[in-house]
């Protein structure tokens, strides 16, 4: 049995996995005054973390351990242990190594980008051993982990209660509180982080397309682009991604002449969360064309050699590159600003619709306004207009879409002319802007009371007898379309 003195010397929380994110989150926790034990399978990472903590004056609240047993037993009960290792089997391996020494009532908190169904499986497995489990999305990258991330914990409410005082202190702080909330039961925390990343895909692609239009059609230099994005960041587009984009255009190449951004190979990497988001949208029958277009753009970017070959093929048959003409730079910059803002609203609307659909399916009772609030700071998609998204859901928790919130609807209407000019100019110039075009098509399709889907349904009934509904009477109908059309008789139907 622990003595009072021994218990007083134990750490308040533990963290296993000391790669970039784990190390920085551990230092963040220690800096906030919470005694923390750290462990990594390779002891060099543990030593590195301890050395860094000492150099930052954080050594007293941070304890290095070198075996799973010593790590677990160095934490006060009920123990709370954060795991930050690569998703998949490494998580299961880490849990197996640590849980051998854990007691009923202890908590495991997975802070990685994990598939939500894996989290739900682990919740069940942990429960069978008397352990509590949280899947906690962590956003903000290295800087966020160190100085204040956005945290999205879901799973055991008791596990969250055990660390609520810690996570509220280490999370990013905004005007209406810390950027953390108990998301919901099951794998909700991981699912919310996944959709956050899907929105991030859309946001980044939209910014890249804005850059392409301004550079290729408008002829803006990198210096002008830096100034443009700086100005945008002081207005409605204020966000982390716009801010860092301005910085990118300012960096000179240290290895050669010119700007570094122009020397970067145009192939985009990914880790899978965007793909998961699009797959889930399809599973739930939620339209997410902006996010899907961003994912497709990453796939196409990976075909660098094919694209170079295709460029030569089409040039040889008279299909040239982008056609540039004289443009009013000032007007183009303002049009692109408006198009980017309107497109971003569509991307966020799609993400929120996906969250609501999954919440309804799983009974998670997600608070979309609160999720927008905790994304206001710390995370990659943090942006000023997230506060306005929160307000929209506060006004109407059952809002069908952000697009029909009165305030956002007015803004979309006011920006649609500029939006169309930008997409039209890109199409006329031979510049693909898939995410911006998809956003505009989403807006135009969603706002139409009648679509050409009646013809698609007629086709389905003709070749597959799938039936159709009518606008003027109830019931399902099937028509012998080919027989009646070729007989020349009056088209009839039966139900």
């Amino acid at each position: 049995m622990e003595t009072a003195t021994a218990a007083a010397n134990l750490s308040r929380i533990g963290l296993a996995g000391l790669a970039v994110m784990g190390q920085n989150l551990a230092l963040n926790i220690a800096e906030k005054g919470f005694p923390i034990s750290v462990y990594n399978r390779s002891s060099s990472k543990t030593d590195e973390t301890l050395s860094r903590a000492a150099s930052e004056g954080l050594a007293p609240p941070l304890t290095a351990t070198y075996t799973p047993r010593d790590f677990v037993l160095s934490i006060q009960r009920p123990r709370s242990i954060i795991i930050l290792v690569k998703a998949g089997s490494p998580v299961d391996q880490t849990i197996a190594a640590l849980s051998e020494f854990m007691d009923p009532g202890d908590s495991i908190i997975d802070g990685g980008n994990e598939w939500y169904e894996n989290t739900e499986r682990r919740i069940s497995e942990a429960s069978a051993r008397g352990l509590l489990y949280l899947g906690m999305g962590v956003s903000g990258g290295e800087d966020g982990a160190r100085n204040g991330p956005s945290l999205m914990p879901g799973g055991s409410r008791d596990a969250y209660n055990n660390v609520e005082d810690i996570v509220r202190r280490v999370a990013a702080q905004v005007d209406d509180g810390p950027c953390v909330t108990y998301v919901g039961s099951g794998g909700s925390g991981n699912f919310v982080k996944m959709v956050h990343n899907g929105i991030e895909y859309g946001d980044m692609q939209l910014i890249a397309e804005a850059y392409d239009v301004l550079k290729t059609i408008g002829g803006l230099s990198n210096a002008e682009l830096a100034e443009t994005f700086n100005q945008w960041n002081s207005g409605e587009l204020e966000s982390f991604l716009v801010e860092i984009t301005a910085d990118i255009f300012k960096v000179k190449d240290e290895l050669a002449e010119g700007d570094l951004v122009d020397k970067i190979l145009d192939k985009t990497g990914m880790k899978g969360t965007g793909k998961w988001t699009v797959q889930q949208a399809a599973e739930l029958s939620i339209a997410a064309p902006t996010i899907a277009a961003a994912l497709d753009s990453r796939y196409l970017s990976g075909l660098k050699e094919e694209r170079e070959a295709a460029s030569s093929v089409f040039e040889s048959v008279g299909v040239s590159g982008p056609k540039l003409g004289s443009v009013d730079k000032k007007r183009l910059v303002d049009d692109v600003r408006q198009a980017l803002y309107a497109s971003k609203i569509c991307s966020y609307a799609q993400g929120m619709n996906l969250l609501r659909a999954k919440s309804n399916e799983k009974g998670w009772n997600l608070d979309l306004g609160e999720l927008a609030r905790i994304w206001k700071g710390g995370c990659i998609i943090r942006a000023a207009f997230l506060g306005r998204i929160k307000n929209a859901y506060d006004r109407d928790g059952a809002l069908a879409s952000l697009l029909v919130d009165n305030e956002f609807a007015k803004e979309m209407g006011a920006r649609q002319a500029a939006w169309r000019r930008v997409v039209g100019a890109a199409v006329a110039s031979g510049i693909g802007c898939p995410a911006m075009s998809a956003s505009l098509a989403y807006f135009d399709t969603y706002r139409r009371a009648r679509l050409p889907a009646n013809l698609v349904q007629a086709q389905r009934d003709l070749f597959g007898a799938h039936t159709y509904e009518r606008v003027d009477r109830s019931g399902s109908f099937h028509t012998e379309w080919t027989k009646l059309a070729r007989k020349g008789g009056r088209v009839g139907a039966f139900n």
Side-chain angles (χ1 to χ4, degrees):
M1 188 171 181
E2 294 175 348
T3 65
T5 302
N9 292 328
L10 296 177
S11 293
R12 174 74 172 77
I13 192 170
L15 190 148
L18 297 172
V20 172
M21 289 294 287
Q23 184 177 118
N24 280 282
L25 186 59
L27 294 173
N28 183 354
I29 293 170
E31 184 179 55
K32 298 305 187 296
F34 296 102
I36 179 172
S37 293
V38 297
Y39 166 73
N40 195 77
R41 191 172 60 174
S42 96
S43 59
S44 61
K45 284 288 185 184
T46 308
D47 291 337
E48 178 186 313
T49 304
L50 189 62
S51 175
R52 186 176 165 196
S55 70
E56 296 183 19
L58 303 174
L62 189 143
T63 299
T65 62
Y66 295 90
T67 69
R69 181 181 184 278
D70 289 346
F71 171 62
V72 172
L73 297 183
S74 71
I75 304 164
Q76 70 183 46
R77 299 174 61 186
R79 303 179 183 94
S80 296
I81 296 175
I82 299 172
I83 296 174
L84 271 166
V85 299
K86 187 177 180 180
S89 60
V91 176
D92 291 308
Q93 292 164 9
T94 304
I95 291 172
L98 300 180
S99 61
E100 181 180 348
F101 308 102
M102 297 176 72
D103 296 308
D106 291 350
S107 302
I108 297 169
I109 305 167
D110 178 16
N113 281 333
E114 186 57 88
W115 176 237
Y116 84 98
E117 289 183 342
N118 285 342
T119 295
E120 297 195 330
R121 168 179 60 80
R122 291 175 186 136
I123 287 173
S124 178
E125 292 170 351
S127 178
R129 304 180 66 166
L131 301 177
L132 309 179
Y133 199 94
L134 277 179
M136 183 171 71
V138 180
S139 179
E142 178 181 355
D143 182 70
R146 179 64 184 85
N147 299 306
S150 174
L151 301 173
M152 295 153 257
S156 165
R157 183 70 196 230
D158 288 340
Y160 176 75
N161 291 342
N162 289 342
V163 295
E164 183 176 13
D165 59 329
I166 298 176
V167 295
R168 286 178 64 86
R169 287 285 306 281
V170 304
Q173 307 293 315
V174 292
D175 55 356
D176 49 4
C179 292
V180 61
T181 192
Y182 173 71
V183 171
S185 61
S188 59
N190 291 117
F191 193 91
V192 167
K193 176 56 163 55
M194 178 198 76
V195 174
H196 162 286
N197 286 18
I199 294 171
E200 179 184 308
Y201 272 51
D203 218 344
M204 294 173 72
Q205 179 63 26
L206 290 168
I207 290 172
E209 292 173 14
Y211 152 66
D212 196 11
V213 169
L214 292 175
K215 182 180 180 68
T216 308
I217 296 179
L220 271 68
S221 67
N222 288 333
E224 289 173 317
L225 287 164
E227 178 58 28
T228 295
F229 277 85
N230 266 332
Q231 290 176 358
W232 286 356
N233 196 48
S234 64
E236 63 189 9
L237 288 172
E238 179 188 348
S239 64
F240 172 71
L241 286 170
V242 169
E243 177 185 355
I244 66 170
T245 301
D247 289 341
I248 286 168
F249 291 124
K250 299 172 186 175
V251 176
K252 298 296 180 183
D253 188 353
E254 295 181 339
L255 303 178
E257 293 295 319
D259 299 322
L260 181 56
V261 67
D262 297 325
K263 310 293 176 56
I264 297 175
L265 185 66
D266 52 322
K267 291 176 68 172
T268 307
M270 69 187 88
K271 293 188 175 180
T273 46
K275 177 181 177 180
W276 292 346
T277 303
V278 174
Q279 288 173 331
Q280 280 294 294
E283 287 287 334
L284 293 164
S285 300
I286 297 297
T290 308
I291 299 170
L295 180 64
D296 287 341
S297 295
R298 294 199 182 193
Y299 291 148
L300 283 167
S301 78
L303 304 177
K304 176 64 173 177
E305 294 76 15
E306 285 188 41
R307 289 188 287 110
E308 288 179 335
S311 177
S312 297
V313 169
F314 285 107
E315 283 183 7
S316 71
V317 296
V319 182
S320 60
K323 299 176 182 178
L324 309 180
S326 59
V327 296
D328 181 335
K329 278 191 181 183
K330 185 175 181 180
R331 179 178 177 180
L332 181 65
V333 167
D334 189 61
D335 279 354
V336 173
R337 173 187 60 80
Q338 295 186 65
L340 178 56
Y341 184 76
S343 297
K344 280 166 63 73
I345 293 173
C346 290
S347 184
Y348 281 75
Q350 292 160 28
M352 290 299 188
N353 288 348
L354 177 53
L355 288 173
R356 182 181 59 226
K358 195 66 176 183
S359 178
N360 290 341
E361 178 191 78
K362 302 288 287 187
W364 287 337
N365 196 30
L366 298 182
D367 185 335
L368 300 184
E370 178 67 357
L371 296 179
R373 187 196 68 78
I374 68 170
W375 291 344
K376 286 169 59 179
C379 69
I380 302 302
I381 64 171
R382 61 184 183 265
F385 89 143
L386 279 161
R388 302 184 54 243
I389 292 177
K390 179 185 184 302
N391 293 339
Y393 285 110
D394 285 348
R395 286 190 290 270
D396 181 2
L399 189 64
S401 170
L402 282 176
L403 303 189
V404 295
D405 171 74
N406 191 52
E407 295 302 315
F408 281 118
K410 288 178 183 176
E411 294 190 337
M412 301 287 279
R415 287 159 179 76
Q416 67 163 328
W419 196 3
R420 296 182 196 285
R421 285 194 295 269
V422 171
V423 172
V427 171
S429 301
I431 298 171
C433 54
M436 203 171 282
S437 300
S439 296
L440 180 57
Y442 178 76
F443 168 69
D444 282 337
T445 302
Y446 185 69
R447 69 185 180 82
R448 288 187 65 190
R450 184 165 173 81
L451 295 170
N454 56 314
L455 179 57
V456 175
Q457 198 62 10
Q459 292 169 333
R460 295 181 72 244
D461 187 52
L462 186 152
F463 65 67
H466 293 294
T467 74
Y468 58 89
E469 295 176 275
R470 296 178 59 106
V471 297
D472 57 350
R473 62 194 69 193
S474 61
S476 296
F477 296 83
H478 168 61
T479 293
E480 298 289 342
W481 297 89
T482 302
K483 182 197 301 185
L484 290 170
R486 295 179 183 177
K487 187 173 71 172
R490 188 165 80 85
V491 174
F494 58 84
N495 61 2

